[in-house]
Amino acid sequence: MLSVALRNSSLSVLLLGIAIPISAQTSQPTAPAPPPPAIKEPTHADLLRGSYGPYRANNDLLFYHLDLRVNPEKKFISGSNTIRFKMLADGTRIQLELFPTLQIDKIEMGKTSLKYARDGGTFFVDFPKPLRTGHTYSIDVHYSGSPVETGRFGCFTFKQDTSGHPWINTACEETGASVWWPNKDQWRDEPQDGMEINIAVPNGLMDVSNGKFIGKKDLGDGYTRWDWKVHYSINNYDVALNIGNYVHFDDKFGDLPLDYYVLPEDLDGAKRQFAQVPGMMKAYYHYFGEYPFKKDGYKLIEVPYAGMEHQSAVAYGNHFHNGYLDRDWTGVGISPRFDFIIIHESGHEWFGNAITAADKSDMWIHEGWTTYLECLYVEYNYGHEDEVKYVNALKKKVKNDRPIITARGTNAEPPQDQYFKGALFINTLRSIVDDDARWFALIHDFYQHFEYQNIMTEDVEQYFNQQTGMNLTPVFDQYLRHTAIPALELKFDEAASTVQYRWKADEKAFAMPVRVGLKGHWETIHPTTEWQTMKTPLTEDQFEVATDLYYITVDKLAKQ
């Protein structure tokens, strides 16, 4: 979502602090840990939204055509969404979503009016005769009403800029796109042939939405329609409208159009700050390949909230300053060198938009990977030493109070650990591979393999297992499906010049190489959950663990 998300979706608090040391950490007596937060039981509405039930699974989305009129004075919207789909099984019903705060005016298939049944935010469309497997159909859902502001960024907000002009924006990743338009509101199925977006707004205002700008038309009634064409599949929460008194300027990165839309008073700041975009593109091209939505171009659009990774229409609200909302995001002096929202939210074009989790439970595929892209941006521009500082500074943001992967099919939002623990886990995988040339080829090919697909954690895990020849499943499970991180337990016998070692982990089969000894002269050992012994000339005080390369704890236990 918004990534740190601001798109994220779910970063509601900035956790700033000092950098943690990158030497081995030994356990100290601490106060009892607070109990983990209670996991909310899914409601009937959550299960309707989260599950991929029979009336979703029986059809495959092909195309959306969203045609909407927005009345800022009345805070009212009206229009239709044409939904084209192919049946995967014979059936007389399909499932769609639209918040109950909005009225369904009628649903038609051609000239035939269709019956429907509403259940909260879900509605079921019924057909008078069976739709046949393999056949393509199209329905028009006409709707209207006043969207209710809700969620972190309001989902659909009617605001004004400082000059008093209407400023209307959407950001609805967590709450769901059906807060303002009818659609198949889940992540597994995207309209594979893309989307048309037509937004009519009062004359003098501009709408900026996803995709390529096709043109505008004066409707002759005080409104102008702005037309956009999305050439790729798109996640429903990525669909956006941005209505305001925007001015436009542009640039290019090679043959990729870069378009920027900001309020007039912010034009100078935007020209200064958005000059970082080509450098961001250069870094991400280097690691993963070219921008995935070239036919649609790349846009940055000023909004009154922090930011969001809307596909090809990235929302920007970082006050035209480096860092994140005028802060040193990681607390080690590196994030003030660049604009966090540009770097993070744009990274979602690769992870979150081009590669999308098939279920909200696996959202770390969006946020963990995009947070890791921040680290790669730092490495590309400032070197590996600064990347190590940056990624380790994320440790203080991790809560470790519940697993990253939530229950599937329940519409449950994963914890914010999906960002920071997710990135630290990926950085740990890099150290397991222990060959940077191989690692960078691996993540490049991983992205290229799954580009434009909706995937699950099992797909990621299987790919890394196959490509590395390792059984990384217990490692994935420990970091993503359990709360605690692995602890390396050490017992020293200085008289015998030995140290015993093992992993303490929830996964019985957990095994992970780790570098120990003296920094600069590391020795790689291969602990499992069973005790092993090695010779060492180092004392307990001298013996170090490369905790800056892994997300682990180290427990030096008293000799029995």
Side-chain angles (χ1 to χ4, degrees):
M1 183 168 292
L2 215 187
S3 16
V4 110
L6 299 178
R7 136 184 77 145
N8 224 331
S9 56
S10 58
L11 289 193
S12 56
V13 180
L14 292 176
L15 303 176
L16 298 177
I18 60 172
I20 44 183
I22 58 176
S23 58
Q25 304 164 18
T26 55
S27 59
Q28 299 291 335
T30 59
I39 297 176
K40 181 178 77 74
E41 287 295 320
T43 64
H44 173 67
D46 289 330
L47 295 175
L48 277 176
R49 269 284 305 281
S51 62
Y52 203 70
Y55 303 119
R56 282 175 166 169
N58 67 359
N59 67 90
D60 181 24
L61 273 176
L62 298 179
F63 192 74
Y64 287 134
H65 178 191
L66 180 61
D67 188 356
L68 194 63
R69 175 177 288 236
V70 180
N71 187 322
E73 183 179 353
K74 295 183 178 180
K75 299 184 177 180
F76 188 84
I77 64 175
S78 59
S80 65
N81 187 26
T82 299
I83 304 171
R84 190 164 74 235
F85 57 94
K86 181 173 71 175
M87 293 299 290
L88 302 177
D90 289 358
T92 57
R93 168 174 275 202
I94 64 171
Q95 176 185 340
L96 298 167
E97 278 73 40
L98 181 68
F99 264 46
T101 50
L102 297 174
Q103 171 73 31
I104 295 177
D105 299 317
K106 60 182 177 179
I107 303 177
E108 297 177 314
M109 185 167 65
K111 296 182 179 180
T112 301
S113 293
L114 301 176
K115 295 180 179 180
Y116 60 91
R118 302 197 77 170
D119 185 348
T122 292
F123 66 99
F124 298 94
V125 182
D126 293 310
F127 300 90
K129 60 182 181 179
L131 306 185
R132 298 302 182 186
T133 304
H135 289 215
T136 296
Y137 300 90
S138 181
I139 64 172
D140 301 307
V141 182
H142 298 262
Y143 73 108
S144 59
S146 297
V148 176
E149 289 191 22
T150 184
R152 186 181 177 204
F153 297 129
C155 292
F156 192 110
T157 60
F158 290 89
K159 297 182 182 295
Q160 289 187 339
D161 63 22
T162 56
S163 300
H165 298 98
W167 198 12
I168 303 167
N169 309 91
T170 59
C172 55
E173 178 186 26
E174 182 174 354
T175 305
S178 55
V179 73
W180 67 279
W181 63 286
N183 63 88
K184 194 175 184 179
D185 201 357
Q186 43 66 61
W187 293 9
R188 185 178 301 273
D189 191 9
E190 299 177 0
Q192 58 189 260
D193 296 332
M195 186 169 183
E196 289 182 15
I197 304 172
N198 306 130
I199 307 295
V201 300
N203 292 343
L205 296 176
M206 178 188 300
D207 170 67
V208 187
S209 288
N210 315 80
K212 182 178 180 179
F213 179 56
I214 302 301
K216 63 178 182 176
K217 180 179 180 180
D218 189 331
L219 301 179
D221 58 358
Y223 277 72
T224 297
R225 193 186 70 211
W226 297 78
D227 299 333
W228 302 86
K229 166 67 176 174
V230 178
H231 293 83
Y232 306 84
S233 61
I234 184 170
N235 200 324
N236 51 67
Y237 72 73
D238 273 333
V239 177
L241 58 77
N242 300 277
I243 299 166
N245 181 39
Y246 287 116
V247 294
H248 168 253
F249 67 103
D250 60 7
D251 195 1
K252 279 200 143 189
F253 178 74
D255 59 352
L256 175 66
L258 308 175
D259 289 284
Y260 307 125
Y261 298 85
V262 299
L263 301 181
E265 60 267 30
D266 294 321
L267 182 59
D268 289 342
K271 287 184 175 180
R272 178 192 68 246
Q273 206 69 2
F274 293 0
Q276 295 183 33
V277 170
M280 173 273 296
M281 289 289 179
K282 188 176 181 181
Y284 294 161
Y285 272 52
H286 172 78
Y287 291 111
F288 299 104
E290 69 179 13
Y291 177 74
F293 307 111
K294 292 187 73 174
K295 293 178 183 178
D296 290 345
Y298 169 88
K299 295 185 286 294
L300 270 181
I301 306 158
E302 183 180 359
V303 297
Y305 58 90
M308 181 70 195
E309 68 274 18
H310 296 140
Q311 183 173 307
S312 75
V314 175
Y316 174 89
N318 202 34
H319 304 167
F320 304 99
H321 293 296
N322 284 354
Y324 171 43
L325 297 177
D326 305 321
R327 295 174 172 90
D328 181 350
W329 175 233
T330 52
V332 292
I334 295 173
S335 56
R337 302 175 191 171
F338 58 88
D339 191 310
F340 172 83
I341 290 297
I342 293 176
I343 303 310
H344 181 93
E345 300 305 338
S346 300
H348 277 299
E349 296 282 51
W350 283 261
F351 286 91
N353 298 349
I355 293 179
T356 304
D359 188 270
K360 187 181 285 189
S361 60
D362 287 27
M363 193 171 157
W364 78 276
I365 295 172
H366 301 196
E367 302 301 350
W369 275 95
T370 300
T371 303
Y372 185 66
L373 261 63
E374 297 169 31
C375 303
L376 293 179
Y377 175 86
V378 169
E379 180 155 357
Y380 184 82
N381 286 282
Y382 311 117
H384 181 58
E385 183 176 343
D386 277 352
E387 186 274 340
V388 170
K389 291 178 183 177
Y390 190 89
V391 72
N392 277 273
L394 301 176
K395 291 178 178 177
K396 63 182 174 290
K397 298 177 179 289
V398 180
K399 294 182 177 179
N400 282 324
D401 56 2
R402 56 192 174 103
I404 288 176
I405 295 179
T406 56
R408 287 177 173 161
T410 63
N411 196 42
E413 186 80 7
Q416 75 172 36
D417 279 2
Q418 64 178 311
Y419 294 86
F420 316 121
K421 188 176 182 179
L424 287 160
F425 164 58
I426 297 166
N427 189 65
T428 298
L429 288 178
R430 174 180 180 174
S431 298
I432 293 172
V433 171
D434 195 18
D435 181 334
D436 276 353
R438 187 184 181 198
W439 170 252
F440 290 130
L442 177 63
I443 62 174
H444 173 274
D445 293 348
F446 161 66
Y447 169 78
Q448 292 291 329
H449 181 78
F450 288 112
E451 187 180 41
Y452 309 125
Q453 296 185 43
N454 296 63
I455 65 174
M456 301 290 276
T457 296
E458 288 82 355
D459 298 304
V460 184
E461 172 189 310
Q462 182 180 39
Y463 186 87
F464 276 77
N465 282 346
Q466 290 175 342
Q467 298 302 314
T468 64
M470 304 177 188
N471 177 22
L472 297 170
T473 298
V475 179
F476 273 78
D477 288 346
Q478 182 64 45
Y479 282 96
L480 301 177
R481 295 186 169 91
H482 294 284
T483 299
I485 60 174
L488 183 64
E489 295 187 322
L490 302 171
K491 291 196 293 189
F492 291 85
D493 185 340
E494 294 185 5
S497 297
T498 62
V499 59
Q500 291 180 280
Y501 57 90
R502 73 173 181 185
W503 287 117
K504 181 182 179 182
D506 299 279
E507 290 291 318
K508 297 298 183 184
F510 186 84
M512 186 173 84
V514 63
R515 281 165 252 184
V516 300
L518 287 176
K519 188 171 184 178
H521 303 280
W522 296 123
E523 176 181 355
T524 300
I525 59 175
H526 294 80
T528 66
T529 54
E530 301 295 329
W531 286 109
Q532 300 178 62
T533 304
M534 64 179 288
K535 282 284 191 179
T536 179
L538 303 175
T539 66
E540 179 177 340
D541 291 338
Q542 294 171 329
F543 193 92
E544 296 181 87
V545 180
T547 53
D548 56 345
L549 304 180
Y550 310 85
Y551 186 40
I552 60 175
T553 59
V554 177
D555 293 333
K556 294 183 177 181
L557 306 177
K559 181 181 176 182
Q560 299 294 322

